[in-house]
Amino acid sequence: MKKIGFILICLVTVFACKKEKENTIDIKKESIAYASFGEKISDENVVSKEMAAKEFNNLKEGDTINMKFASTINEVCKKKGCWMKLDLGDQQESMVRFKDYGFFVPLDADSKEVIVNGRAFVTKIPVKELQHYAKDSGKSEEEIAAITEPEFTFAFEADGVLMKNE
């Protein structure tokens, strides 16, 4: 009798475990493929472009903070890929350059999703530099000549970039 009771308990346990396993949903983290530029970085602990914008808006000229955020590329340097402008939402963007001019991104990277890691700061860009960027991005001579005032910008020096593969 004890053997039959033991066998019944074992069978009930096996069937209960099997039923439990059937009701379990396997949740796996979606693996996203990235092209990597600069230092090796991960896609963990990334803030949104909206959070990055809040951080930028709290900075004063001379302040610097380390940050990793995700965004979409609005524009890339069409000569070398040595800078890019990232969308921060609400008609704002961040001018991203690369640490020590040590790496570049593809010239056709407009509209790609990226994660950047580095330091964020606010700076005043002189007229000559603004005109240089306008020339690099393929603006007309008239558009370049119309740049006559320096501007404050949300700047970012990236030490690493992940670009989502499509």
Side-chain angles (χ1 to χ4, degrees):
M1 193 67 167
K2 287 184 180 181
K3 287 183 182 180
I4 293 173
F6 178 73
I7 291 172
L8 278 172
I9 291 173
C10 288
L11 287 172
V12 168
T13 304
V14 168
F15 284 115
C17 288
K18 184 176 180 187
K19 189 69 172 169
E20 180 68 31
K21 187 174 183 178
E22 288 173 2
N23 292 332
T24 302
I25 299 171
D26 285 334
I27 299 174
K28 295 180 182 175
K29 184 178 177 186
E30 182 182 335
S31 178
I32 300 174
Y34 293 102
S36 181
F37 305 91
E39 292 181 13
K40 182 178 172 140
I41 64 171
S42 74
D43 62 353
E44 297 176 356
N45 303 316
V46 176
V47 299
S48 67
K49 67 182 181 183
E50 293 82 9
M51 282 300 296
K54 286 181 184 177
E55 293 291 337
F56 273 115
N57 281 311
N58 288 330
L59 296 175
K60 297 184 267 336
E61 189 175 15
D63 292 346
T64 301
I65 60 169
N66 292 319
M67 185 185 333
K68 186 191 307 185
F69 73 97
S71 186
T72 304
I73 300 173
N74 284 343
E75 186 177 6
V76 175
C77 170
K78 299 301 181 207
K79 290 198 175 200
K80 295 182 187 178
C82 59
W83 55 262
M84 60 185 174
K85 293 182 180 180
L86 299 184
D87 180 38
L88 294 175
D90 292 331
Q91 303 295 316
Q92 295 180 316
E93 55 186 14
S94 175
M95 177 65 160
V96 179
R97 286 176 278 189
F98 309 111
K99 186 175 180 182
D100 299 328
Y101 208 61
F103 62 96
F104 305 116
V105 296
L107 305 181
D108 63 350
D110 293 338
S111 302
K112 299 271 186 168
E113 293 179 41
V114 293
I115 295 172
V116 293
N117 184 77
R119 44 183 213 103
F121 55 100
V122 177
T123 188
K124 186 191 297 186
I125 301 179
V127 171
K128 291 283 185 200
E129 193 171 336
L130 290 170
Q131 291 173 338
H132 174 79
Y133 293 142
K135 185 175 179 181
D136 281 355
S137 66
K139 302 279 190 221
S140 70
E141 289 299 322
E142 294 80 31
E143 290 172 303
I144 294 169
I147 300 171
T148 59
E149 295 290 325
E151 65 181 50
F152 281 92
T153 189
F154 296 145
F156 195 87
E157 182 184 62
D159 54 29
V161 175
L162 293 176
M163 185 177 297
K164 190 174 181 182
N165 289 335
E166 293 181 22

